[in-house]
Amino acid sequence: FDHVYEEASDFEAVYESIVGNLLDRAPHGPVTYAVPGHPTIGESTVSRLRVQAKAAGVSIEILPGVSFVDVIAPLLDVDLGDGARIADALALGRIDPTVPLLVCQVHSRRVAAGLKLDLARHYSDEHPVTVIRAAGVPSDAHVSTIPLWELDRRDDVDHLTSVWVPAIPVLEATREVGSLLSVMARLRAPDG
């Protein structure tokens, strides 16, 4: 489906085109749709396909694969299972700077710029972020830690780029209302 990515005007159109094509082929025999990584982690087409196939009465079987999380985890000096949130750069949602964040799909400088702006609402410009590129590709894998303000100034951002954003302590999350509430609770506590 590379041609769909090249021809479509946005990702919404890409996803709908792929899912529509797959469902159109389903009545004519088995169809195999392979994606890089695990099909249920960071694959919007698979999520949409599950919903639309069920509505159309088409059965699907999902076989597991190695996800981007599996190849990134050994490159970071952290336990991703210790409360980290995983998010897509194009659908980031709510950011809690007191929770570590792994952002995937940082596929271009434009997306990196948008991510930087979203993160800058919660973190200082100097907050360290780790850029992981080509995890799982031994000859190309590269990890570098930079200040947040540099995130969109890199020339090596591509479809194999993810960003690790370490958490900050609650009392240092000065841009968050929750931090103010934590300070007030601490001050009002018996030993405050």
Side-chain angles (χ1 to χ4, degrees):
F1 290 104
D2 287 348
H3 69 284
V4 176
Y5 283 91
E6 293 167 5
E7 296 166 0
S9 59
D10 60 30
F11 282 107
E12 187 68 29
V14 168
Y15 302 149
E16 288 305 315
S17 176
I18 292 171
V19 170
N21 187 298
L22 293 169
L23 290 176
D24 288 347
R25 293 176 185 213
H28 307 290
V31 177
T32 300
Y33 175 56
V35 297
H38 196 287
T40 62
I41 299 176
E43 287 296 336
S44 187
T45 54
V46 175
S47 300
R48 293 165 190 244
L49 182 60
R50 289 172 113 171
V51 171
Q52 293 181 30
K54 185 175 184 178
V58 174
S59 65
I60 62 172
E61 178 183 8
I62 296 179
L63 303 175
V66 175
S67 77
F68 73 96
V69 176
D70 295 313
V71 294
I72 286 175
L75 301 175
L76 297 173
D77 192 21
V78 296
D79 180 354
L80 293 178
D82 192 20
R85 178 173 168 245
I86 299 170
D88 185 316
L90 301 176
L92 201 52
R94 184 179 173 280
I95 297 172
D96 179 351
T98 65
V99 174
L101 176 64
L102 178 60
V103 183
C104 65
Q105 307 283 12
V106 186
H107 60 79
S108 68
R109 285 180 79 173
R110 182 184 57 78
V111 173
L115 175 62
K116 178 180 86 171
L117 292 174
D118 287 339
L119 294 174
R121 292 185 185 106
H122 305 276
Y123 304 88
S124 74
D125 289 342
E126 295 299 323
H127 186 72
V129 297
T130 302
V131 177
I132 305 108
R133 198 187 151 289
V137 183
S139 60
D140 293 334
H142 183 72
V143 177
S144 59
T145 300
I146 60 171
L148 176 59
W149 67 266
E150 285 185 24
L151 186 58
D152 60 345
R153 297 174 186 228
R154 302 178 62 92
D155 292 328
D156 62 346
V157 174
D158 65 12
H159 66 288
L160 296 176
T161 303
S162 295
V163 176
W164 170 251
V165 185
I168 55 179
V170 172
L171 296 180
E172 291 179 27
T174 57
R175 300 176 187 191
E176 308 302 311
V177 173
S179 292
L180 177 59
L181 296 173
S182 294
V183 169
M184 289 172 32
R186 177 75 177 112
L187 291 172
R188 291 181 173 179
D191 60 343

